[in-house]
Amino acid sequence: MEPVFIGGAFREAQDPVGSFRAVNPATGESIGPDYPISGAADLDACLEAALLAAPALRDTDPAQIAAFLHSYAAGIDAEAASLAPLASAETGLAAEGRYLANELPRTTRQLRLAAEAALSHSWTLPVIDTQAGLRSCLAPLARPVFVLGPNNFPFAFNAISGGDFAAALAARNPVIAKGHPSHPQTTQALARLAAAALVSSGLPAAAVQLIHDLPRQLGLRLAGDRRLGAVAFTGSRPAGLALKAAADAAGVPAYVELSSCNPVALLPGALEERGDAIAAELLASCTLGAGQFCTSPGLVLLVDGPATRRFVEAAARHYAAAAPGLLLNQGVLSSLEESLRALTAAGARALVQGQRLAGAGFRHGPTLLSSSGASFLAAAPALQREAFGPATLLIIAKDADELCLVTAALEGNLTGTLYSTSDDEQLYRRVAPLLRDRVGRLIEDRMPTGVAVSPAMNHGGPSPATGHPGFTSVGLPASIRRFAALHSYDHVKDAHLPLVLRNQNPGRIWRSIDGRHTQEDLP
Amino acid sequence: MEPVFIGGAFREAQDPVGSFRAVNPATGESIGPDYPISGAADLDACLEAALLAAPALRDTDPAQIAAFLHSYAAGIDAEAASLAPLASAETGLAAEGRYLANELPRTTRQLRLAAEAALSHSWTLPVIDTQAGLRSCLAPLARPVFVLGPNNFPFAFNAISGGDFAAALAARNPVIAKGHPSHPQTTQALARLAAAALVSSGLPAAAVQLIHDLPRQLGLRLAGDRRLGAVAFTGSRPAGLALKAAADAAGVPAYVELSSCNPVALLPGALEERGDAIAAELLASCTLGAGQFCTSPGLVLLVDGPATRRFVEAAARHYAAAAPGLLLNQGVLSSLEESLRALTAAGARALVQGQRLAGAGFRHGPTLLSSSGASFLAAAPALQREAFGPATLLIIAKDADELCLVTAALEGNLTGTLYSTSDDEQLYRRVAPLLRDRVGRLIEDRMPTGVAVSPAMNHGGPSPATGHPGFTSVGLPASIRRFAALHSYDHVKDAHLPLVLRNQNPGRIWRSIDGRHTQEDLP
């Protein structure tokens, strides 16, 4: 049985309640060694060790945090050639095109940006009010953060290497990572690299810990432990809401990134101008990673008319001609089929009915569904069920008014996209504000699947896409602020202040002093 | 029966489930007219009107929001001479010393600072990443905010004039205010002034609405309505946690400011130097507003020794000699007595046992309790029960180590205070980090009851003092950010961007552009 990583040591699970292995989605066969499903003893050991590490980590020089993140990123880069095929075998995504060319560089860049943010203190928002004798900044929670990663990004969102991990650690909080059981070998390989970086950077041994899986009830128990600093989760709506409920009841902030249909409104002028190209873009976006992106375009909003009809025909041709997608695991395949049945039962009509491919692992053909605006309005919640995988539902409104009603009936989403030309300006001005309030990121004239690691990114959005509309899980320094406490200092002597708030500012940290942003010292 | 204020009109409650009157705490007699306890119809009407007003308010020019806030503040200033005695009759707090000299100017200053923040967009944290083509800012929730005010600050924290009100409105969200039934006449007088300011500023009529009271279940129903933008509550822990649970379950952010013992650590050197003066400061702080401040010093941490013994004697003399405090209402008096009984049952010893004054309204003598460090550690949760009113519990640790253990056993609080001299430096360095992580605001060498309206204030803190350690309910612009959604714009045309993110920046808004804070335009 593979070990867990607790208190700085790879050691046997103390009281495992079961075990599991990875499954190669291309064949359906189990691969690699056994991994433990941890019991209460492992969880308790993790929590105790993290609680002890928390104050030390809070007081750690940010340079040391940065050294860890840089060293870890370098380790991942150095091992990229072995990590990529490992992840590919566990996820069915291409070692070269997906991992080496994209997700791995993105992951290490994210770790390095987190290192920069830790060093620059850019996440701390220091404020000085010289008149009132008050100073404030964001500071470490000084408590463990429980991070649960999703199935779909084994590097960039992994609980032990992804955005939540980097952000929690940049704020100098210990991370208790729960890997996703869909890619344990990848996660374990990352843990080995993280362990080496912990040693070389001299961070507390329990700054990063890993368990591979655990029973649902134990996860809820940890999330609901009052000693925890925060919970960060990316994954399915039911699992995330259960964790959030447990954390909420304990007064623990929970950041959950759940589900999203990512509506794309294609206005008539844009379709008139380049409907065929947009149909190709839609297919490419919908089938990227076999449709298993949080921001995959699941819902397309249209207004009936000649250009729209041509677009629908073109899209149907594209979807019908596209190869089946290889899905992450049996669960994703079953859930996709279930969602497609539910959407059909709610009134959606199949234009292209993708099928499960028998005997070839977890493959499913791209699926294009369609509904009238009126049908959507009559069954708006049911038709906004996320179909995670290569599937898109077109909503064809009869006119501009109905398009507005459809947009207003949308639930909270991560992204909302508008394709338009200057001919569409009037309609844009009606639809955009409705869409804007229902999404975290508004996109123009490009598909939503790209999620840049940028300080101006919002990978978040209104409920039920996430648990709070004010936070992003991607993009630094904003994502770090989720794992921080606001600290105010009232007439505290300069020598007793944290470095970011002292009169002297040798690090040239950006601070708001009496309403002015500056990198200067205070006299 | 007095009217509610819904949809821009003062009108009769539609389906009241009861009524109430104010009570003069100095006599225990009912005063003023009857006020309705609203039923479901009023709540529904409020919510419907606020939902309709929300998009219009979102698109309102901030100058108009500022005009409302300024006009309202001017109205309050102009009526101060009549408002102060009204509030005094309902709360027992002095018209002159408390209201005219302090709380009213603070309230109108807060409204004016909110106006400034609305105009300067300082709460929106605009970020521009020119390389990635991404821009982000905080934006209105575009949904109603349900604000519930406490009993103890009828102006500065009133649901229709206080900090939460000003912050929610500065972020251009409609407010559904629930007044506190302890001061309905004051609240109604404020509503009249708000109504006049709404008309003169031309804001949507339902931007501000008021109900005076409602059954608990209806409050929870509104807090748990998915269409709500946020809930803001200041008051008792059970009521706040119930509202938060309802909001949490619906994915509605809840900001609750609950209870706090505000530990004050008096280190030996400071007591040696000026123990008598500190004893007087403690009494003054503890009896300010009859101890009914959120930040009243309820817990004093000491290390046994000669200076501490002299301090305890001096404090006991001060508390014994002080006049009884006039409490806000029967509920506060009963609750104080209950808390004092519970603290005594948990092992606290009365040094000065204040008593309820028979036949003179709701009066109670200042109370000074004491406990050893060991007793505290043995019953830490029970001895951290908030005794809202003029009461303080001294914890006398046997040595520095025990003081650290006591500090580490503290729950989350709004404030933590340290009195020290240079002789205490070593002990300060041990205690301060422990205290720091358990409070929102760390204070040196002054009592915690002052809560300045400053951009560097934190009137917040870790659970159970509040529901989230990252937010403050006092201080602008930070408090406004609670009522905002993060909006990212991905390759959105300049003309489609909100003003704060456009290339031209005529308002000289502070923005972070490619990591640099600037008020400049973008080319």
Side-chain angles (χ1 to χ4, degrees):
Chain A
M1 188 100 88
E2 280 287 302
V4 291
F5 181 56
I6 296 181
F10 285 91
R11 66 159 175 75
E12 282 220 348
Q14 230 172 303
D15 58 345
V17 299
S19 72
F20 69 98
R21 295 174 66 198
V23 172
N24 181 338
T27 63
E29 284 167 8
S30 295
I31 52 172
D34 285 324
Y35 288 85
I37 301 171
S38 281
D42 283 350
L43 261 283
D44 290 345
C46 267
L47 182 57
E48 291 301 331
L51 286 166
L52 287 172
L57 202 58
R58 172 202 60 201
D59 295 336
T60 296
D61 185 338
Q64 214 175 332
I65 298 278
F68 165 77
L69 292 165
H70 278 297
S71 159
Y72 187 18
I76 294 173
D77 279 344
E79 294 298 324
S82 65
L83 289 168
L86 202 58
S88 182
E90 291 187 316
T91 62
L93 299 164
E96 174 61 47
R98 163 64 177 258
Y99 292 124
L100 286 171
N102 282 295
E103 192 179 335
L104 277 163
R106 175 211 175 80
T107 303
T108 53
R109 177 162 173 267
Q110 191 163 250
L111 293 170
R112 292 186 176 105
L113 288 170
E116 268 180 47
L119 278 177
S120 71
H121 298 271
S122 54
W123 57 281
T124 61
L125 296 177
V127 178
I128 297 177
D129 179 343
T130 59
Q131 295 261 313
L134 283 157
R135 304 183 182 207
S136 73
C137 63
L138 290 172
L141 290 168
R143 293 175 177 215
V145 176
F146 182 26
V147 180
L148 301 98
N151 55 15
N152 59 343
F153 281 84
F155 298 110
F157 284 77
N158 195 303
I160 203 165
S161 65
D164 286 338
F165 169 86
L169 213 60
R172 306 203 296 279
N173 304 295
V175 170
I176 299 173
K178 184 209 151 293
H180 195 284
S182 203
H183 47 253
Q185 300 179 92
T186 309
T187 301
Q188 189 78 312
L190 290 167
R192 299 272 177 200
L193 297 170
L198 279 175
V199 170
S200 75
S201 63
L203 284 194
V208 176
Q209 300 180 96
L210 172 70
I211 48 167
H212 295 285
D213 201 4
L214 78 179
R216 176 187 153 90
Q217 280 312 316
L218 284 183
L220 297 180
R221 195 178 90 180
L222 182 56
D225 194 298
R226 291 177 187 283
R227 294 168 295 174
L228 211 61
V231 177
F233 169 89
T234 307
S236 79
R237 199 188 288 192
L241 289 181
L243 281 165
K244 179 175 180 294
D248 284 342
V252 174
Y255 302 100
V256 293
E257 199 248 271
L258 304 173
S259 56
S260 183
C261 292
N262 304 298
V264 176
L266 304 173
L267 303 193
L271 293 181
E272 190 67 54
E273 186 183 277
R274 54 199 166 95
D276 272 11
I278 296 173
E281 285 176 42
L282 176 64
L283 177 79
S285 180
C286 169
T287 56
L288 190 64
Q292 300 163 118
F293 270 54
C294 314
T295 53
S296 190
L299 215 49
V300 173
L301 313 185
L302 303 155
V303 183
D304 196 18
T308 292
R309 282 178 218 148
R310 284 195 302 276
F311 165 81
V312 173
E313 281 165 25
R317 278 198 309 277
H318 283 297
Y319 274 67
L326 180 52
L327 300 174
L328 294 163
N329 56 45
Q330 177 64 55
V332 170
L333 176 58
S334 305
S335 165
L336 174 61
E337 290 182 322
E338 203 182 314
S339 291
L340 293 175
R341 276 196 300 273
L343 290 169
T344 310
R349 196 164 59 85
L351 300 180
V352 178
Q353 176 76 64
Q355 299 291 342
R356 172 201 286 244
L357 251 71
F362 313 130
R363 284 175 212 270
H364 198 283
T367 298
L368 190 65
L369 305 172
S370 155
S371 160
S372 70
S375 300
F376 181 81
L377 292 172
L383 287 174
Q384 290 180 74
R385 176 175 179 142
E386 185 187 34
F388 190 71
T392 303
L393 169 60
L394 312 177
I395 309 295
I396 305 171
K398 69 170 193 270
D399 54 24
D401 287 348
E402 198 173 75
L403 179 68
C404 292
L405 291 173
V406 164
T407 309
L410 291 173
E411 294 182 342
N413 279 282
L414 296 174
T415 69
T417 303
L418 282 151
Y419 278 68
S420 67
T421 64
S422 53
D423 289 348
D424 298 311
E425 193 60 20
Q426 206 184 344
L427 184 53
Y428 181 102
R429 298 271 170 193
R430 292 182 65 193
V431 176
L434 295 168
L435 193 57
R436 175 65 280 183
D437 288 335
R438 286 160 182 81
V439 305
R441 175 167 53 116
L442 190 77
I443 306 159
E444 275 188 15
D445 304 319
R446 53 173 60 199
M447 287 293 159
T449 24
V451 182
V453 182
S454 155
M457 172 52 65
N458 182 13
H459 194 61
S463 172
T466 79
H468 194 294
F471 293 101
T472 177
S473 69
V474 173
L476 301 150
S479 67
I480 302 177
R481 295 187 185 126
R482 296 174 297 160
F483 305 115
L486 180 59
H487 282 181
S488 175
Y489 293 84
D490 193 340
H491 290 84
V492 169
K493 294 172 196 75
D494 198 64
H496 291 163
L497 288 169
L499 288 175
V500 293
L501 294 178
R502 291 195 188 164
N503 291 338
Q504 293 295 311
N505 181 18
R508 296 290 157 247
I509 296 160
W510 280 104
R511 312 192 291 186
S512 171
I513 301 181
D514 298 332
R516 200 174 135 255
H517 287 265
T518 167
Q519 296 176 288
E520 291 163 20
D521 295 333
L522 259 179
Chain B
M1 188 100 88
E2 281 287 303
V4 290
F5 181 56
I6 297 181
F10 285 92
R11 65 159 176 75
E12 282 221 348
Q14 230 172 302
D15 58 345
V17 300
S19 70
F20 68 99
R21 296 174 66 198
V23 172
N24 182 337
T27 63
E29 284 168 8
S30 296
I31 52 172
D34 285 324
Y35 288 85
I37 301 171
S38 281
D42 282 350
L43 261 283
D44 290 345
C46 266
L47 182 57
E48 291 303 330
L51 286 166
L52 286 173
L57 202 57
R58 171 200 61 200
D59 295 335
T60 296
D61 185 338
Q64 214 175 332
I65 299 278
F68 165 78
L69 291 165
H70 279 298
S71 158
Y72 187 19
I76 294 174
D77 279 344
E79 293 297 325
S82 65
L83 289 168
L86 201 57
S88 182
E90 291 186 316
T91 62
L93 298 165
E96 174 61 46
R98 163 67 176 255
Y99 292 124
L100 285 171
N102 282 296
E103 193 179 333
L104 277 163
R106 177 210 174 82
T107 303
T108 53
R109 178 163 173 265
Q110 190 163 249
L111 293 170
R112 292 186 176 106
L113 287 170
E116 269 180 46
L119 278 176
S120 72
H121 298 271
S122 54
W123 58 281
T124 62
L125 295 176
V127 178
I128 297 177
D129 179 343
T130 58
Q131 295 261 312
L134 283 157
R135 304 183 181 207
S136 72
C137 63
L138 290 172
L141 291 167
R143 293 176 177 212
V145 176
F146 182 26
V147 180
L148 301 98
N151 55 15
N152 58 343
F153 281 83
F155 299 110
F157 284 77
N158 195 304
I160 202 165
S161 66
D164 287 337
F165 169 87
L169 212 61
R172 307 202 297 277
N173 303 295
V175 170
I176 300 174
K178 183 207 151 295
H180 195 284
S182 201
H183 47 252
Q185 299 179 92
T186 307
T187 301
Q188 189 78 310
L190 289 166
R192 299 273 177 198
L193 297 170
L198 280 175
V199 170
S200 75
S201 63
L203 284 193
V208 176
Q209 301 180 97
L210 171 71
I211 49 166
H212 295 284
D213 200 3
L214 79 177
R216 177 187 152 91
Q217 280 312 318
L218 284 183
L220 297 180
R221 194 178 91 181
L222 181 56
D225 194 299
R226 292 178 186 281
R227 295 168 294 175
L228 211 62
V231 177
F233 169 88
T234 307
S236 79
R237 199 190 288 193
L241 289 181
L243 281 165
K244 178 174 180 295
D248 284 341
V252 173
Y255 302 100
V256 293
E257 198 249 271
L258 303 174
S259 56
S260 183
C261 292
N262 305 297
V264 176
L266 303 174
L267 302 193
L271 293 181
E272 191 67 54
E273 187 183 277
R274 52 198 167 98
D276 272 12
I278 296 173
E281 283 176 42
L282 176 64
L283 177 81
S285 180
C286 170
T287 55
L288 190 64
Q292 301 162 117
F293 270 55
C294 314
T295 53
S296 191
L299 214 50
V300 172
L301 313 185
L302 302 155
V303 184
D304 195 18
T308 292
R309 282 178 219 148
R310 284 195 302 276
F311 166 80
V312 172
E313 280 165 27
R317 278 197 310 277
H318 283 299
Y319 275 67
L326 179 53
L327 300 173
L328 293 162
N329 56 45
Q330 176 65 55
V332 169
L333 177 58
S334 307
S335 165
L336 174 61
E337 290 183 321
E338 203 181 314
S339 291
L340 293 176
R341 275 195 300 273
L343 290 169
T344 309
R349 195 165 60 85
L351 301 180
V352 178
Q353 177 74 65
Q355 300 289 343
R356 172 202 287 245
L357 252 70
F362 313 131
R363 283 176 213 270
H364 196 283
T367 298
L368 190 65
L369 305 171
S370 156
S371 159
S372 71
S375 300
F376 182 80
L377 291 172
L383 287 175
Q384 290 182 73
R385 177 176 178 142
E386 186 187 35
F388 190 72
T392 302
L393 170 60
L394 311 177
I395 310 294
I396 305 171
K398 68 171 192 269
D399 54 24
D401 287 349
E402 197 175 75
L403 178 68
C404 291
L405 291 173
V406 164
T407 310
L410 291 173
E411 295 183 339
N413 279 281
L414 296 174
T415 68
T417 302
L418 282 151
Y419 277 68
S420 68
T421 64
S422 52
D423 289 348
D424 299 310
E425 193 60 20
Q426 206 185 345
L427 184 53
Y428 181 101
R429 297 272 170 194
R430 292 182 66 195
V431 176
L434 296 168
L435 192 57
R436 175 65 281 182
D437 288 335
R438 287 159 181 82
V439 305
R441 174 166 54 115
L442 190 76
I443 306 159
E444 276 188 13
D445 304 319
R446 53 172 60 200
M447 288 292 159
T449 24
V451 182
V453 182
S454 156
M457 173 51 66
N458 182 12
H459 194 62
S463 172
T466 80
H468 194 295
F471 293 101
T472 179
S473 69
V474 173
L476 301 150
S479 66
I480 302 176
R481 295 185 185 127
R482 296 174 297 161
F483 305 114
L486 180 59
H487 282 182
S488 175
Y489 293 84
D490 193 340
H491 291 84
V492 169
K493 294 172 196 75
D494 198 64
H496 291 163
L497 288 169
L499 289 175
V500 293
L501 294 177
R502 292 196 188 163
N503 291 340
Q504 294 294 311
N505 181 18
R508 296 291 157 245
I509 296 160
W510 279 103
R511 312 192 292 186
S512 171
I513 302 181
D514 298 333
R516 202 176 133 255
H517 288 265
T518 168
Q519 295 176 289
E520 290 163 21
D521 295 332
L522 259 179

